[in-house]
């Protein structure tokens, strides 16, 4: 059974009958629009049974909030003088760009540990793929573009708040050198969506190396379609990990590469204090980019138990659990390709188990190297891990802001340590730790300036602070004021560089902001 037939026909709960997309979009497609994208849609072409071809819903009066010109240039998207209105028509889905072949991808996934066989793009559409200036292939996807056969009871839409959040977070992560999907545009749809109350609707255009997830493999593996799993694995190898074709065991190499990418990704998350919030297998991209900025947030005070998502009552996706959850998700991926790894089941399990074990080792190595760089250290010695753990324990005990603390450390290289000291309730623990750190630095000689530069390249000043993101969203939702969004985005685009007049963006939330909770409600 294909994704196409199964999902379009069999489930009464799919809410896909309210909009006749085809007739509406065929009209609007004839509108003139100068924007050109050189689409080359390999997913559409090579995996016909892995999606449902679907037009975007028509929206009444789209208007442009933000367009990422720098990313458009990288993707060789030629605006050819298009007006804002024309950009909004194209990236709301009202005007179908020439060469786009919109489709909703099928996928399943483990959500909070429970398998859900029917997920898929319920409010997103892949418009197509294009090659960037260096020949790298990217997906261009609309999010909030109307119902699909995978929408279940959802409306297929996105609200303005989550669209702005995803725009800010994904661009912040990019600037922080973390693998991530990007934001190409945000458009107001001109209609309201219902999220416990009426909210302005919006559409995000997202760019990813691909939107193939662990859940995409699961969809076909659990439907008992091994030939489709193989087809998908071959597609992923060709697109993301072509070196695997040279290997004597291409599918084991595929697993290794996917694990390596996740180790890099999650170590970066841990180093900057990012909490994804909903690490379900459908939100784990095979290419290793951070995807689906729903209930994510940056940790403020250091605590491994940090959880922001209102629905994560058990703390499954707490900050400190992210590496082991990534391993769990990778194990679910490994299960889907076991028979490809080896026909001998026991051997396949042994090879996969070893690879998952290696993942954790790689993660720990990357984390340690990254943490040492944050402390201005470029070599490794016995006892380094303990030195780091001691600092983290101090941070936890003193409820110290993680980002502020690490950034302050470069100023403590000199004798003046007032900035760091002020972050602790009681400076004794810090003073002791600093002596050990100073001793350790003697084993890695470097000028103070060189060390401070190294540290400042690894310790950001600016992250998307929860209270500021909330203010930005409130201004946009309530006053149609997008200036705070623009301002915050600009600051986040250079997170490692001190920007004058931007001190407030580096401060933790005031006490009265209280404990922060995020919601998935896109
Ligand atoms: P997410 O929370 O973004 O990971 O989405 C989980 C699943 O719910 C995916 O299959 C989404 O397509 C679907 N979904 C989330 N919000 C909506 C919505 N408003 N309408 C339709 N489907 C949705
Ligand atoms: Mg998702």
């Amino acid at each position: 059974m294909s994704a196409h037939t199964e999902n379009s026909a069999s489930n009464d709960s799919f809410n896909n009958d309210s909009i006749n997309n085809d007739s509406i979009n065929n009209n609007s497609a004839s509108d003139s629009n100068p924007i050109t994208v050189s689409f080359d849609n390999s997913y559409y072409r090579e995996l016909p049974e892995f999606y449902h071809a679907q037009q975007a819903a028509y929206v009444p009066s789209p208007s442009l909030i933000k367009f990422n010109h720098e990313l458009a240039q990288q993707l060789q998207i030629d605006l050819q003088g298009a007006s804002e209105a024309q950009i909004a028509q194209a990236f709301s889905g009202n005007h179908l760009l020439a060469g786009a072949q919109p489709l909703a991808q099928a996928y399943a996934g483990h959500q909070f540990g429970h398998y859900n066989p029917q997920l898929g793009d319920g409010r997103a559409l892949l418009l197509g793929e294009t090659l960037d200036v260096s020949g790298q292939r990217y997906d261009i996807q609309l999010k909030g573009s109307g119902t699909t056969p995978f929408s279940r009871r959802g409306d297929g839409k996105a609200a303005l708040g989550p669209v702005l959040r995803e725009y800010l977070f994904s661009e912040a992560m990019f600037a922080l050198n973390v693998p991530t999907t990007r934001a190409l545009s945000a458009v107001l749809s001109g209609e309201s969506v219902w999220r416990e109350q009426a909210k302005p609707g919006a559409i995000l255009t997202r760019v990813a190396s691909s939107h193939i997830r662990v859940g995409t493999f699961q969809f076909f593996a659990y439907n008992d379609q091994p030939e489709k799993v193989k087809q998908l694995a071959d597609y992923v190898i060709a697109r993301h990990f072509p070196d695997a074709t040279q290997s004597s065991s291409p599918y084991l190499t595929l697993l290794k590469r996917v694990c390596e990418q996740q180790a890099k990704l999650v170590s970066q998350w841990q180093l900057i204090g990012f909490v994804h919030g909903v690490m379900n297998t459908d939100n784990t991209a095979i290419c290793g980019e951070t995807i689906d900025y729903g209930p994510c947030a940056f940790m403020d005070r250091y605590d491994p138990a940090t959880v922001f998502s209102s629905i994560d009552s058990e703390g499954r996706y707490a900050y400190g659990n992210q590496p082991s959850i990534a391993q769990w998700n990778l194990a679910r991926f490994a299960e889907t390709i076991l028979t490809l790894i080896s026909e001998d089941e026991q051997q396949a399990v042994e090879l996969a188990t070893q690879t998952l074990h290696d993942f954790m080792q790689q993660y720990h190595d990357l984390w340690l190297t990254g943490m040492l760089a944050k402390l201005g250290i470029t070599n490794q010695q016995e006892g380094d891990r303990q030195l780091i753990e001691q600092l983290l324990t101090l941070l936890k005990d003193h409820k110290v802001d993680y980002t502020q603390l690490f950034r302050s450390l470069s100023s403590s290289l000199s004798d003046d340590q007032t900035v760091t000291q002020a972050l602790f309730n009681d400076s004794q623990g810090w003073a002791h730790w600093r002596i050990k750190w100073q001793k350790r630095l003697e084993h890695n000689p470097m000028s103070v300036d060189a060390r401070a530069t190294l540290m400042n390249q690894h310790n950001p000043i600016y992250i998307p602070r929860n209270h500021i993101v909330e203010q930005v969203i409130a201004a946009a939702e309530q006053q149609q004021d997008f200036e705070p969004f623009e301002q915050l985005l600009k600051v986040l685009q250079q997170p490692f560089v001190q920007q004058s007049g931007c001190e407030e963006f580096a401060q933790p939330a005031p006490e009265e902001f209280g404990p922060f909770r995020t919601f998935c409600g896109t």
Side-chain angles (χ1 to χ4, degrees):
M1 200 177 357
S2 74
H4 189 118
T5 52
E6 177 177 358
N7 292 297
S8 53
S10 66
N11 193 331
D12 289 343
S13 69
F14 291 151
N15 176 17
N16 194 32
D17 50 8
S18 56
I19 302 160
N20 183 345
N21 302 304
D22 289 338
S23 59
I24 297 169
N25 267 330
N26 285 345
N27 293 338
S28 64
S30 60
D31 296 350
S32 70
N33 193 308
I35 302 172
T36 56
V37 182
S38 296
F39 283 108
D40 176 46
N41 306 328
S42 67
Y43 197 92
Y44 180 90
R45 213 166 42 230
E46 295 172 32
L47 301 172
E49 292 169 305
F50 289 62
Y51 59 81
H52 181 88
Q54 175 78 48
Q55 300 289 319
Y58 189 78
V59 293
S61 52
S63 58
L64 189 65
I65 300 168
K66 185 72 184 165
F67 188 74
N68 190 338
H69 287 274
E70 168 241 310
L71 179 58
Q73 253 174 23
Q74 185 198 328
L75 296 173
Q76 311 187 80
I77 294 175
D78 195 346
L79 294 181
Q80 302 198 89
S83 64
E84 287 205 351
Q86 286 170 320
I87 299 174
Q89 286 292 336
F91 294 103
S92 61
N94 272 5
H95 176 90
L96 188 64
L97 290 170
Q101 289 167 310
L103 60 89
Q105 291 177 317
Y107 56 85
H110 275 91
Q111 299 183 303
F112 289 91
H114 302 286
Y115 186 65
N116 187 336
Q118 285 287 356
L119 292 168
D121 289 334
R123 56 164 160 186
L125 288 178
L126 175 62
L127 283 181
E129 299 150 34
T130 194
L131 304 184
D132 80 350
V133 284
S134 65
Q136 169 76 35
R137 180 176 294 274
Y138 285 97
D139 278 5
I140 301 178
Q141 191 205 55
L142 300 178
K143 193 168 171 186
S145 47
T147 53
T148 76
F150 306 110
S151 297
R152 294 170 289 158
R153 296 188 188 282
D155 60 1
K157 305 286 182 171
L160 174 61
V163 164
L164 295 183
R165 270 182 73 81
E166 177 151 352
Y167 202 117
L168 288 167
F169 272 84
S170 58
E171 290 307 294
M173 293 286 266
F174 174 73
L176 288 163
N177 305 317
V178 183
T180 179
T181 62
R182 308 267 326 256
L184 179 64
S185 82
V187 173
L188 270 171
S189 66
E191 64 185 5
S192 294
V193 297
W194 191 258
R195 297 289 182 269
E196 288 165 344
Q197 53 178 303
K199 295 273 188 183
I203 295 144
L204 180 84
T205 302
R206 176 160 82 177
V207 173
S209 289
S210 87
H211 285 83
I212 298 169
R213 304 135 193 274
V214 169
T216 319
F217 280 85
Q218 289 182 295
F219 184 92
F220 298 99
Y222 282 76
N223 278 332
D224 204 16
Q225 296 175 303
E227 72 296 343
K228 292 235 171 59
V229 174
K230 181 172 183 303
Q231 203 182 343
L232 185 61
D234 290 338
Y235 177 87
V236 165
I237 287 174
R239 179 161 173 179
H240 294 299
F241 310 109
D243 74 307
T245 53
Q246 312 298 318
S247 145
S248 56
S249 183
Y251 303 105
L252 179 62
T253 305
L254 168 64
L255 177 62
K256 286 181 180 170
R257 294 285 173 273
V258 172
C259 287
E260 284 160 13
Q261 297 309 112
Q262 285 292 313
K264 285 183 198 157
L265 179 69
V266 179
S267 61
Q268 292 289 329
W269 288 359
Q270 300 307 96
L271 291 167
I272 56 161
F274 175 77
V275 184
H276 182 279
V278 60
M279 287 176 71
N280 295 334
T281 57
D282 54 302
N283 293 336
T284 304
I286 291 291
C287 64
E289 290 172 356
T290 314
I291 192 171
D292 272 5
Y293 292 90
C296 64
F298 277 76
M299 180 169 63
D300 30 30
R301 292 167 171 179
Y302 176 79
D303 184 352
T306 303
V307 172
F308 294 105
S309 170
S310 56
I311 58 170
D312 192 4
S313 50
E314 310 266 298
R316 178 181 169 89
Y317 298 141
Y319 169 76
N321 288 352
Q322 294 188 127
S324 56
I325 288 290
Q327 191 185 38
W328 192 89
N329 290 342
L330 289 165
R332 304 290 77 75
F333 173 57
E335 282 165 5
T336 69
I337 56 167
L338 270 187
T339 54
L340 295 173
I341 290 174
S342 171
E343 284 168 13
D344 175 343
E345 192 183 334
Q346 196 190 334
Q347 192 189 27
V349 169
E350 276 168 18
L351 290 167
T353 306
Q354 182 60 45
T355 308
L356 293 168
H357 177 81
D358 295 345
F359 156 81
M360 207 38 111
Q361 191 56 48
Q362 285 159 4
Y363 161 75
H364 282 300
D365 292 346
L366 289 166
W367 179 85
L368 181 58
T369 310
M371 267 293 169
L372 288 173
K374 284 168 89 70
L375 296 179
I377 300 168
T378 55
N379 57 7
Q380 269 182 40
Q381 279 187 2
E382 187 128 353
D384 282 346
R385 201 173 279 278
Q386 288 89 314
L387 183 71
I388 296 165
E389 294 296 346
Q390 284 162 5
L391 176 63
L392 293 177
T393 304
L394 271 181
L395 297 196
K396 183 168 180 295
D397 292 349
H398 291 257
K399 301 185 169 44
V400 178
D401 185 88
Y402 181 80
T403 307
Q404 267 194 320
L405 181 280
F406 275 98
R407 183 65 185 202
S408 78
L409 287 180
S410 60
S411 65
S412 293
L413 288 170
S414 65
D415 287 337
D416 177 17
Q417 19 163 337
T418 44
V419 186
T420 310
Q421 205 166 309
L423 299 172
F424 290 88
N425 304 329
D426 139 29
S427 57
Q428 219 183 13
W430 153 250
H432 280 140
W433 184 85
R434 182 171 177 269
I435 293 167
K436 289 187 204 169
W437 177 45
Q438 292 287 350
K439 283 213 177 97
R440 173 64 182 86
L441 295 183
E442 287 167 16
H443 295 268
N444 188 197
M446 214 185 289
S447 74
V448 168
D449 280 353
R451 192 161 348 247
T453 303
L454 168 75
M455 292 171 74
N456 289 343
Q457 284 164 350
H458 288 86
N459 296 316
I461 311 173
Y462 308 108
I463 52 165
R465 296 260 173 199
N466 302 321
H467 63 295
I468 298 178
V469 173
E470 293 303 296
Q471 286 164 11
V472 161
I473 291 171
E477 276 184 350
Q478 291 158 25
Q479 281 117 39
Q480 292 77 52
D481 179 4
F482 291 94
E483 200 38 48
F485 166 79
E486 292 283 350
Q487 225 188 335
L488 176 58
L489 181 63
K490 188 162 172 279
V491 172
L492 294 174
Q493 281 167 339
Q494 291 202 51
F496 299 101
V497 181
Q498 184 95 47
Q499 297 168 53
S500 69
C502 295
E503 291 74 19
E504 62 172 311
F505 292 96
Q507 296 301 316
E511 278 300 323
E512 61 268 24
F513 184 67
F516 182 60
R517 283 280 161 269
T518 54
F519 299 89
C520 278
T522 27

